[in-house]
Amino acid sequence: MKPTTARLTALICLLAASPVSAQQSALDATLNQELPELVSTYKNLHAAPELSHHEDKTSALLARELRSDGYQVTEHVGKYPNPEWQGHGVVAVMKNGAGPTVLVRADMDALPVEEQTGLPYASQVRTKNDAGLDVGVMHACGHDIHVTSLIGTAKLLAAMKDQWHGTLVLIGQPSEETIDGARAMLADGLYSRIPQPDYALALHDSSELEAGKIAYTPGYALASSTSVDVTIRGRGAHGSRPEVSKDPIVLAAEFIMAIQTIVSRENSPFDPAVVTVGSIHGGTKYNIIPDDVHLQLTIRTYKEEVRQHILASLDRIAKGVALAGGVPQDRAPIVKVSDTEVTPAMYNDPALTEREAAALNRGLGAGNVVEKPPVMGSEDFGQFALEGHKIPAFMFSVGAIDVDRIASSEKTGVPLPSLHSSLFWPVPEPTIRTGVKAMTLAVLELMKR
Ligand SMILES: [Zn+2]
Ligand SMILES: [Zn+2]
């Protein structure tokens, strides 16, 4: 059964303009009504995950739901450099008089992971990835929780229209896992289709936090991520005749050791940074010195100037190692910084974070709102804040694990499956309940009458 907006509105109106606690119980009552349907939507989404750049059905479902709640919906927002990928971004707008513009974003894509949870609604989906390989597909990062929470938040706020003012913008973002979806939506003129928001909000489920709780980090919360390809070029030769070669394998080894000093010797210990070589490929056989070696690196930082410094150092060290090894100029190394696999740090605006943390404390109960340290993982939600953290943004974590599982993990010492694990599963009802409630409260804090 699907409650009508009119019924929801009536329910909310009963307690309109009443004290905060009464508003809260009205919110809870509406949420209770909506939850069974939201949980069933969640299970359907979970069983039908779609890879990044291919969120066809997920975005259509989200668009349908938001349209039925009275939002003005635009689909297929997003332009990628690769013309084969269609933008699956969803933009839903509800105008409600003068007031602030608040953007709420949910990411929609799943991962090439074969689900092993054994849940009755586990994904059985297999597909070909962009490289043509057959892969299992799973919502192993919980973006199905995010989509469902956005649907729930949309319903509550549509029913509570008399309690807020301004322009509410709900975003279904594709391709977060490949960190090019937010950029694709901005490149497709997102901020000329809608007013540039005054605030941007998002949530992510947590594989460690107890369901019912939320956690937040003021200031830098997630790092910037930059992918770098390095090609160390030399001169190939027979393995028995090193004297006629410029061995790129030895040069690559020197390069890898030399770049360890960027973070340890060139960077302030007060500026977190990571330089990781995640892949190295060179050569074909025991007795052949190859022509070149390819390395793939990920760089993580909070500050943009630290990122720029590291990229300049990588280039300088690569060239220096080649020079020391006597590599001719025309075989100098190539350091290529990706312009698609790159995303800025996620910065939670301190004033906005303080304001929202206080509102969530009031709404969820103080014991359910906790501060947590930053991490060097990455997310592309920060893109919506524009360069220099121009638009104040706030992203928080929603606990997704029931108490029993946390207790048994603590008892046995076996860690809980992390995000992206084939065994990760959020407990649906309390996670969605908290996600919807927290996001609704966060929006109301900024838009309330
Ligand atoms: Zn993820
Ligand atoms: Zn995620």
Side-chain angles (χ1 to χ4, degrees):
M1 186 184 71
K2 190 168 183 168
T4 64
T5 303
R7 271 176 53 205
L8 298 180
T9 309
L11 188 64
I12 301 287
C13 283
L14 276 177
L15 294 156
S18 52
V20 171
S21 59
Q23 181 199 62
Q24 286 253 353
S25 48
L27 195 156
D28 283 331
T30 314
L31 187 49
N32 282 337
Q33 263 188 354
E34 288 291 337
L35 263 170
E37 177 124 356
L38 287 172
V39 169
S40 119
T41 301
Y42 164 73
K43 289 180 177 169
N44 291 338
L45 283 167
H46 189 83
E50 294 171 302
L51 289 179
S52 311
H53 310 125
H54 303 280
E55 306 87 344
D56 193 19
K57 297 191 183 77
T58 309
S59 59
L61 180 146
L62 177 64
R64 210 163 46 236
E65 288 281 346
L66 299 178
R67 214 167 261 138
S68 78
D69 290 322
Y71 292 78
Q72 261 188 353
V73 179
T74 311
E75 290 176 77
H76 299 298
V77 180
K79 245 193 199 116
Y80 297 102
N82 181 344
E84 282 175 26
W85 295 334
Q86 203 189 355
H88 288 296
V90 177
V91 181
V93 178
M94 186 171 280
K95 289 189 177 140
N96 192 13
T101 298
V102 176
L103 177 151
V104 183
R105 170 274 213 172
D107 41 8
M108 305 184 289
D109 52 334
L111 286 158
V113 170
E114 194 174 314
E115 181 157 356
Q116 311 279 351
T117 60
L119 292 165
Y121 52 92
S123 162
Q124 312 283 337
V125 174
R126 299 198 69 83
T127 189
K128 290 237 186 296
N129 68 8
D130 288 331
L133 297 171
D134 181 59
V135 291
V137 189
M138 175 188 177
H139 268 298
C141 205
H143 296 184
D144 44 358
I145 288 282
H146 308 172
V147 173
T148 310
S149 296
L150 190 72
I151 294 172
T153 303
K155 285 185 192 303
L156 261 62
L157 288 168
M160 297 171 84
K161 245 182 129 172
D162 59 335
Q163 303 200 24
W164 57 273
H165 65 121
T167 302
L168 178 61
V169 180
L170 307 178
I171 301 279
Q173 186 211 300
S175 308
E176 185 281 326
E177 296 293 356
T178 45
I179 56 172
D180 55 354
R183 186 183 299 106
M185 291 189 80
L186 290 162
D188 200 13
L190 177 65
Y191 286 167
S192 55
R193 293 164 184 252
I194 57 160
Q196 188 169 301
D198 298 299
Y199 303 100
L201 303 172
L203 58 76
H204 202 295
D205 61 346
S206 163
S207 59
E208 291 153 25
L209 190 67
E210 186 184 323
K213 296 192 172 186
I214 71 123
Y216 68 95
T217 308
Y220 285 110
L222 295 155
S224 74
S225 172
T226 307
S227 294
V228 182
D229 285 277
V230 178
T231 307
I232 304 285
R233 301 187 295 175
R235 187 192 296 137
H238 195 286
S240 68
R241 295 202 57 206
E243 72 278 17
V244 298
S245 79
K246 295 292 175 198
D247 188 343
I249 298 222
V250 174
L251 295 172
E254 286 177 355
F255 171 74
I256 292 169
M257 294 314 291
I259 61 175
Q260 303 307 314
T261 57
I262 299 175
V263 173
S264 72
R265 302 292 86 183
E266 295 182 24
N267 183 57
S268 162
F270 296 101
D271 286 327
V274 177
V275 175
T276 290
V277 179
S279 155
I280 170 165
H281 286 95
T284 52
K285 194 172 181 293
Y286 305 96
N287 58 354
I288 303 172
I289 295 170
D291 286 324
D292 38 42
V293 172
H294 300 274
L295 300 103
Q296 293 183 318
L297 283 68
T298 187
I299 312 303
R300 306 295 171 108
T301 71
Y302 290 130
K303 293 183 184 163
E304 176 59 20
E305 59 264 34
V306 174
R307 176 179 166 271
Q308 290 298 343
H309 176 91
I310 290 174
L311 295 177
S313 296
L314 287 174
D315 196 62
R316 188 193 74 237
I317 292 171
K319 285 183 179 140
V321 165
L323 188 70
V327 173
Q329 205 31 252
D330 65 344
R331 297 289 293 158
I334 300 165
V335 177
K336 190 174 177 325
V337 180
S338 169
D339 30 76
T340 49
E341 269 195 49
V342 56
T343 198
M346 171 59 228
Y347 182 73
N348 279 327
D349 179 80
L352 176 62
T353 303
E354 201 182 319
R355 188 174 163 193
E356 290 291 15
L360 292 169
N361 255 306
R362 286 193 301 275
L364 300 173
N368 293 323
V369 180
V370 292
E371 198 175 318
K372 64 166 186 166
V375 294
M376 298 306 279
S378 297
E379 225 312 330
D380 69 354
F381 172 58
Q383 296 257 356
F384 292 107
L386 301 179
E387 219 157 286
H389 322 304
K390 193 169 157 203
I391 298 166
F394 176 59
M395 182 176 211
F396 57 92
S397 299
V398 178
I401 311 297
D402 53 48
V403 199
D404 293 350
R405 267 196 292 165
I406 292 176
S408 99
S409 155
E410 278 165 5
K411 205 168 126 198
T412 58
V414 179
L416 289 159
S418 69
L419 296 176
H420 291 204
S421 157
S422 59
L423 295 169
F424 167 68
W425 64 276
V427 53
E429 200 270 356
T431 305
I432 294 164
R433 176 190 292 277
T434 311
V436 173
K437 184 168 178 179
M439 189 53 88
T440 305
L441 290 168
V443 172
L444 285 174
E445 171 60 24
L446 302 173
M447 305 186 84
K448 66 191 166 197
R449 282 192 191 275

